Amino acid sequence: MPSPALLSPFTVSGLTLKNRIVVSPMCQYSAVDGVAQDWHLVHLGRFALGGAALVFVEATGVEARGRISPGDMGIWNDDQARALARIAEFLKANGAAAGIQLAHAGRKASTRRPWDGGAELNAEDAAKGEPAWETLSPSAIPFSDTYPKRRANDAGFDVVEIHAAHGYLLHEFLSPLVNHRTDAYGGDLAGRMKFPLEVIETVRAVWPKHKPLFLRVSSSDYVDGGVTIEDTVVFAKAAKALGVDVVDCSSGGNTPVQPKLSPGYQVPYAEAVKKGAAVATMAVGLILDAKLAEDIISSGKADLVALARPALEDPNFAIHASAALTGTPDYGLAPTPAKSGLDRLAQSLRHMEKA
């Protein structure tokens, strides 16, 4: 049986990933003053133990105003960076590359946590010690500060991803639904791309050349007059020219409109960007099982697959994928302490079958 493409290594820039399975950034809304807690270490660490090649820390605010909620992670001060360094160190010590997504929520900032309803913060929240803050729409340029990028490198991360999707600040600039500027940063696609491309250029100038730079995009706004996949291909080409190594192809976020959901529903975007912009891509969105993930990679639709909620449901997705695709689980994907116990479990099961 040929080796599954999903479990083959992938080299990007100066980094070789042991397989094609990536864990997407997943907001936990559980930081304190932007500082990661034990929850984050355990939440993210389990994906390294389960064999994923690259694990991303959640969307991390480049400034306090860039948080979605008061519980968001941040990297605008050294205390936050030190807490993140602990996570990066653990991930790398246990076989996964460590990634961080740099983000600014723009007009979608200053909200309650999802389990508190997600509405805008108000006086009631302020009385509880979580006041609202000024939000930004396509206007100011917070990414010009180089310190968050330097902190990400100093904290030991292998990969940075710029978040330009889901209706947050950079996507707001890109989308004609939101960007109504009449200066050089608005108007046609070239104008709307100007600020996001300046951000990419700024990050790439600081982020070491041997470390990959990812870019998450919303490939379509799903409504007439919004971002189209054709726009995204043009943006991806320009981003690649500035040093982006992988484009992470998501969609939506500027309006409530979304397509009918189905397994792998966003994969065609990753395929279109890969072919149209001649850049490596990452597919994301309800990649629920190993067979679908393998098809995406083996057919060349994308170079990497990213899991969010499916990884929450099965942190050992990579190990289980090896069993599903080859008939034998590859416990070598897990770090030594876990592998030792899993090998003993397999040995016990074999003895039981023979008895």
Side-chain angles (χ1 to χ4, degrees), residues 187-218:
D188 62 8
L189 179 59
R192 299 195 312 274
M193 292 194 311
K194 183 174 171 58
F195 176 50
L197 291 175
E198 287 179 357
V199 169
I200 291 167
E201 191 171 24
T202 299
V203 174
R204 186 74 272 185
V206 175
W207 189 242
K209 287 183 169 46
H210 67 280
K211 291 188 175 186
L213 178 62
F214 284 38
L215 173 69
R216 173 162 275 195
V217 297
S218 275

Side-chain angles (χ1 to χ4, degrees), residues 233 249 269-281 299-303:
V233 169
C249 298
Y269 296 131
E271 183 176 15
V273 171
K274 180 177 170 67
K275 292 179 179 177
V279 66
T281 60
S299 64
K301 295 172 183 172
D303 300 280

Side-chain angles (χ1 to χ4, degrees), residues 95-111:
I100 185 169
Q101 186 185 69
L102 299 181
H104 195 293
R107 64 177 185 157
K108 295 177 78 173
S110 191
T111 67

Side-chain angles (χ1 to χ4, degrees), residues 237-256:
K237 283 182 181 178
K240 179 188 176 185
L242 291 176
V244 164
D245 299 293
V246 177
V247 180
D248 177 4
C249 298
S250 189
S251 61
N254 262 328
T255 77

Side-chain angles (χ1 to χ4, degrees), residues 80-229:
Q80 295 161 348
R82 280 189 287 271
L84 287 164
R86 178 188 179 209
I87 293 171
E89 181 181 14
F90 184 89
L91 293 174
K92 296 196 293 183
N94 288 283
I100 185 169
Q101 186 185 69
L102 299 181
H104 195 293
R107 64 177 185 157
K108 295 177 78 173
S110 191
T111 67
R112 293 176 174 176
R113 297 166 182 82
W115 52 81
D116 292 327
E120 293 181 6
L121 295 170
N122 58 29
E124 180 182 341
D125 300 293
K128 297 176 182 177
E130 294 187 339
W133 59 86
E134 175 192 11
T135 61
L136 302 175
S137 59
S139 53
I141 306 180
F143 275 79
S144 61
D145 181 0
T146 63
Y147 286 109
K149 301 83 168 176
R150 296 183 190 279
R151 288 192 184 99
N153 183 51
D154 292 344
F157 285 98
D158 301 299
V159 178
V160 152
E161 177 173 86
I162 297 171
H163 198 349
H166 302 166
Y168 299 127
L169 186 62
L170 297 188
H171 183 198
E172 291 165 17
F173 269 89
L174 288 165
S175 176
L177 300 176
V178 183
N179 185 346
H180 300 145
R181 294 176 69 126
T182 57
D183 62 4
Y185 291 93
D188 62 8
L189 179 59
R192 299 195 312 274
M193 292 194 311
K194 183 174 171 58
F195 176 50
L197 291 175
E198 287 179 357
V199 169
I200 291 167
E201 191 171 24
T202 299
V203 174
R204 186 74 272 185
V206 175
W207 189 242
K209 287 183 169 46
H210 67 280
K211 291 188 175 186
L213 178 62
F214 284 38
L215 173 69
R216 173 162 275 195
V217 297
S218 275
S219 306
S220 172
D221 275 332
Y222 295 131
V223 297
D224 291 340
V227 170
T228 66
I229 184 58

